[in-house]
Amino acid sequence: RRFSVGLTGGIGSGKTTVADMLAARGAAMVDTDTIAHQLTAPGGLAIPDIHTQFGAAFLTAEGAMNRARMREYVFAEANAKARLEAILHPLIRIETERAAAQAQGDYLVFVVPLLVESRGWKERVSRVLVVDCLEQTQIRRVMSRSGLSEAQVRAIMAAQATRTQRLAAADDVIDNDGDALSLVPQVDQLHARYVALAREA
Ligand code: ATP
């Protein structure tokens, strides 16, 4: 199987920033969030099941999943999250593998925000790369980007793996507490290592 990296990190840790840097150096990217969005966009493969299981009220006039409504419902209703995931996860897997088979690059990077939390991903990738920073840094960055309150950001973080759990799953770690420039040598070094590992594989 082709050498692959699973890139993960908590909300606002810098996953997208690091993914863009690896892509600029020649890595092939498969972003599971993008795929999940496509599945729930108008005409998306998950829409018929969402319609059947949750009802038309959970679709927008355009035929996308109504994200705001689903988010509320999943928060309030104990089983809803599992029901939605039962629809989405198998489709995400299928579409992810389809994208991976077509991706061109020195090696493959799967961007998976919930890699540590989800079943099967650690076994699927050759290496787990965690973008790490202090919780305080995450909170500051997400607040300034989104306008969420500190309490709202903390609530999202509480639903994700802890920093300790994520680091325990990591083969490689990028420290993103510094400025953007401090990422460059770290990304350069990891990229060179991944290119070498991909050649060996
Ligand atoms: P999410 O989980 O919310 O999608 P993410 O992990 O993909 O987030 P990014 O979007 O890369 O994180 O970064 C979060 C925010 O912090 C962005 O606005 C980004 O520009 C900024 N940021 C990331 N790294 C740094 C850094 N080293 N210095 C300053 N700002 C940064």
Side-chain angles (χ1 to χ4, degrees):
R1 207 180 222 178
R2 190 168 172 201
F3 177 80
S4 65
V5 175
L7 171 58
T8 193
I11 181 170
S13 58
K15 295 177 295 292
T16 307
T17 305
V18 169
D20 289 347
M21 291 173 75
L22 290 171
R25 285 159 178 75
M29 290 295 146
V30 175
D31 187 331
T32 56
D33 259 2
T34 306
I35 288 171
H37 253 83
Q38 290 165 348
L39 289 169
T40 54
L45 290 174
I47 296 297
D49 282 350
I50 290 169
H51 189 183
T52 309
Q53 293 199 31
F54 292 90
F58 287 86
L59 302 182
T60 66
E62 292 73 32
M65 180 174 80
N66 185 331
R67 265 169 237 293
R69 178 140 201 190
M70 188 61 89
R71 202 175 303 122
E72 262 173 40
Y73 187 63
V74 158
F75 231 77
E77 184 71 35
N79 291 325
K81 188 162 184 252
R83 280 164 57 215
L84 180 63
E85 285 177 351
I87 296 172
L88 288 179
H89 283 183
L91 290 170
I92 290 173
R93 282 304 163 95
I94 291 166
E95 291 307 302
T96 298
E97 293 301 339
R98 196 199 305 276
Q102 290 171 358
Q104 305 279 332
D106 294 330
Y107 57 91
L108 197 54
V109 177
F110 294 102
V111 185
V112 190
L114 298 181
L115 184 146
V116 172
E117 294 85 342
S118 314
R119 204 171 293 175
W121 268 111
K122 284 188 286 296
E123 297 72 29
R124 171 62 184 85
V125 297
S126 314
R127 294 188 81 78
V128 173
L129 169 57
V130 169
V131 184
D132 177 58
C133 63
L134 294 168
E135 293 190 350
Q136 221 22 74
T137 309
Q138 277 179 277
I139 292 167
R140 182 164 38 76
R141 287 187 185 145
V142 175
M143 284 178 70
S144 72
R145 183 190 55 185
S146 63
L148 294 177
S149 69
E150 170 159 358
Q152 287 172 311
V153 181
R154 283 194 185 277
I156 294 168
M157 288 168 62
Q160 300 187 341
T162 63
R163 195 178 169 203
T164 310
Q165 288 169 329
R166 223 177 267 116
L167 289 173
D171 296 299
D172 305 306
V173 178
I174 286 185
D175 168 6
N176 191 25
D177 271 307
D179 59 15
L181 261 187
S182 71
L183 289 174
V184 174
Q186 299 184 74
V187 170
D188 280 341
Q189 192 177 16
L190 269 179
H191 177 69
R193 187 130 162 265
Y194 292 154
V195 169
L197 286 169
R199 291 219 177 98
E200 282 169 27

